[in-house]
Amino acid sequence: MATSPPPISNARPREEGAARMLHKGRQTKAAIVEAALGLASQIGLEGLSIGALAEVTGMSKSGVFAHFGSREELQISVIREYHDRFENEVFYPVLALERGLPRLKALFDNWMLRTSTEIDSGCIYISGAVEFDDRPGPVRDALASTVTAWQTALRRSVEMAQSHGQLDAKADPQQIAFEIHGLILALHYEARFLRNPGAADRARRGFIHICERYTPAASL
């Protein structure tokens, strides 16, 4: 004898309530990461703590802790958020452009724009490297992984320009990427630490010189 299915009148409200709670939880965690990113830009990843973040967000320590479980996981979440924003501002916009040197130049221009906003706030890639260069562990691994991913994207952009005959195909793409990266590191040091005027212009001229030095004609 067939039995009647159980009533489902309460199932949908419960599911909707669970979905709302999940959505709210994600929003709260995103707000905490946003606040943590702002703090880390000022005091570094090592300065982050559950207590300091609770004070900034107006939440309880237990409330902040519930979303991350540890200070280490909080730091890793900040690194991932920073990396996502970096890629969205610097890397992804150039994918719509012509491959080769135009894309590489746009990549550097976007990187310069990003750097100009970080002269006062600081770059987590750089400050994090200073804090965790000799401290093995998950936080250092997460930071190194994001920096490596970005350096790989930069090197591939160089290789693409080489494959299009716009940069010397015999040159070491890692060397070219290294020199370009060095311009940004020098810019942070000159502009943020020493407050030297004209540092951004020198970085842009440096990029032009790198491109000129590695053009096929210059290698003959």
Side-chain angles (χ1 to χ4, degrees):
M1 181 176 178
T3 58
S4 300
I8 60 173
S9 57
N10 294 328
R12 181 166 296 175
R14 285 199 298 268
E15 291 175 358
E16 291 177 350
R20 284 195 298 269
M21 290 182 63
L22 180 60
H23 179 66
K24 184 178 180 180
R26 288 173 176 170
Q27 286 184 318
T28 301
K29 185 173 183 178
I32 295 173
V33 172
E34 176 76 24
L37 185 56
L39 266 181
S41 297
Q42 298 173 20
I43 61 178
L45 288 166
E46 188 58 21
L48 285 180
S49 69
I50 299 294
L53 203 50
E55 183 176 347
V56 170
T57 59
M59 298 178 61
S60 65
K61 291 183 180 180
S62 60
V64 175
F65 186 84
H67 286 281
F68 299 97
S70 69
R71 176 170 173 265
E72 190 176 77
E73 184 56 39
L74 170 64
Q75 292 170 320
I76 292 173
S77 295
V78 169
I79 291 170
R80 289 171 178 165
E81 178 65 21
Y82 179 85
H83 182 67
D84 287 345
R85 296 187 183 194
F86 185 91
E87 285 191 323
N88 287 333
E89 292 181 25
V90 178
F91 179 70
Y92 290 127
V94 310
L95 296 181
L97 302 178
E98 179 185 351
R99 292 184 176 185
L101 201 53
R103 188 175 290 187
L104 179 62
K105 289 180 177 178
L107 199 68
F108 184 77
D109 287 342
N110 291 347
W111 201 359
M112 286 290 295
L113 286 174
R114 171 82 185 193
T115 301
S116 68
T117 66
E118 293 181 330
I119 294 304
D120 294 323
S121 64
C123 171
I124 287 181
Y125 284 156
I126 296 175
S127 62
V130 174
E131 293 176 303
F132 292 93
D133 61 345
D134 58 352
R135 297 179 58 185
V139 177
R140 186 191 187 282
D141 291 345
L143 184 62
S145 177
T146 58
V147 172
T148 299
W150 166 238
Q151 289 183 331
T152 298
L154 177 61
R155 190 197 71 243
R156 287 176 178 171
S157 295
V158 171
E159 291 172 342
M160 196 175 295
Q162 289 177 298
S163 68
H164 281 68
Q166 297 158 332
L167 292 178
D168 181 16
K170 296 180 180 180
D172 178 6
Q174 189 66 46
Q175 177 64 32
I176 300 176
F178 181 91
E179 293 178 21
I180 293 172
H181 188 197
L183 293 174
I184 298 296
L185 295 179
L187 174 58
H188 271 279
Y189 193 90
E190 291 280 332
R192 180 170 168 78
F193 178 55
L194 298 179
R195 302 292 178 182
N196 284 340
D201 289 337
R202 285 191 287 274
R204 291 189 179 93
R205 287 198 298 271
F207 179 77
I208 293 173
H209 293 162
I210 289 173
C211 292
E212 290 176 345
R213 182 154 36 88
Y214 285 105
T215 58
S219 66
L220 295 178

